[in-house]
Amino acid sequence: MTDPKLDLLIDRPTESIPEMVVRRIRHAIASGLLPPGRKLTERELVELTGVSRTSVREAMRHLQTLGLVEPSPSRGVRVARLGSAEVREIYEVRDALEPAAAELFVLRATDEEVAALVEKVQPRASGEERLQAIYEFDELLVEGARNSLLKSMLGPLHTRIHALRSLSVTIPGRREASVQEYLELAEAISSRSPERAAEAAHRHIRAAAKAALEAVEILEKEPPKS
């Protein structure tokens, strides 16, 4: 008979080691710590993460299927570079999915989740704090929508979009416009209007797509660095 006082049960981790590596690298890409074109060697990743080569390889395979890393011209992989064609496709898909997430969030999120979402869009002093708050806003929006399929599609997409944000805000006036667009989206959500939330999301995404494409096209016209 088992002694009820002897509790040696070990909780199972919610993530595998490769999944944790994927999550950490996704966040580093989204935050700009790993910029587009940054080479990622297996040896470096083993040293940075402290996990086995097998786990790193599995994580890299998954990141490639998500479109976040790509084969490097030399050995290994690099953070994916996005051209204007890829950026256009990303924002087309975002414009189809994210307004639906905003609608579902309005319908399914708790009052506490709404309050947390609204807090994230309040103007921040520094650009870095602002970008981090928007990254967290996107995560809260997807979680509150409570649709696992939508989450699996928007999660990797948001990572790639967030990596573009530090570039798109270099377009004059874009940073200020983005702040206002998020405030309007948050106001529509807090008023519990699915229709207004979806429309605010559409307006923001289309304006963001225009700025991102403009920024990427400027980069594409620059002569290659020697």
Side-chain angles (χ1 to χ4, degrees):
M1 183 175 178
T2 304
D3 184 348
K5 295 180 181 179
L6 188 61
D7 185 5
L8 300 179
L9 183 64
I10 299 174
D11 292 332
R12 292 184 179 181
T14 57
E15 292 180 303
S16 67
I17 296 296
E19 286 172 339
M20 286 190 278
V21 174
V22 168
R23 178 166 54 80
R24 294 289 179 87
I25 294 177
R26 279 180 57 177
H27 189 272
I29 291 172
S31 64
L33 292 174
L34 293 175
R38 168 69 152 79
K39 188 174 179 180
L40 302 172
T41 66
E42 188 176 281
R43 180 178 178 179
E44 178 189 25
L45 291 172
V46 167
E47 292 175 353
L48 288 173
T49 60
V51 304
S52 69
R53 289 181 179 272
T54 300
S55 293
V56 165
R57 288 170 187 161
E58 186 175 338
M60 287 301 102
R61 285 195 293 269
H62 186 57
L63 287 163
Q64 278 191 265
T65 65
L66 296 175
L68 298 176
V69 302
E70 62 188 9
S72 173
S74 55
R75 193 175 180 181
V77 298
R78 67 183 183 185
V79 178
R81 293 178 180 270
L82 298 176
S84 54
E86 292 87 356
V87 170
R88 186 175 293 106
E89 290 178 353
I90 285 170
Y91 277 93
E92 285 173 351
V93 175
R94 184 188 181 192
D95 197 27
L97 297 179
E98 197 167 297
E103 285 192 42
L104 291 175
F105 185 91
V106 169
L107 295 171
R108 297 174 178 175
T110 65
D111 290 342
E112 291 76 16
E113 287 172 323
V114 171
L117 191 82
V118 171
E119 193 278 330
K120 294 298 178 186
V121 302
Q122 301 311 308
R124 257 78 180 172
S126 74
E128 185 176 337
E129 289 177 347
R130 173 73 185 169
L131 289 174
Q132 179 60 29
I134 294 304
Y135 182 79
E136 293 168 3
F137 177 100
D138 289 340
E139 288 187 323
L140 288 170
L141 183 74
V142 173
E143 287 294 336
R146 290 177 174 75
N147 183 303
S148 59
L149 182 57
L150 192 61
K151 180 179 178 179
S152 70
M153 298 169 73
L154 270 175
L157 196 67
H158 277 158
T159 301
R160 302 176 83 179
I161 289 165
H162 197 76
L164 288 166
R165 284 195 173 112
S166 58
L167 183 62
S168 63
V169 294
T170 61
I171 301 300
R174 179 59 204 150
R175 188 185 302 275
E176 296 77 13
S178 177
V179 170
Q180 185 58 37
E181 289 157 13
Y182 269 103
L183 287 171
E184 290 173 1
L185 175 56
E187 196 280 327
I189 288 172
S190 63
S191 68
R192 293 288 188 173
S193 173
E195 296 80 10
R196 285 180 56 205
E199 184 54 39
H202 276 302
R203 286 196 302 270
H204 165 64
I205 294 163
R206 289 164 188 170
K210 182 179 178 183
L213 279 167
E214 185 177 344
V216 169
E217 286 168 358
I218 289 171
L219 282 182
E220 289 177 335
K221 291 176 183 176
E222 292 182 352
K225 295 179 181 180
S226 56

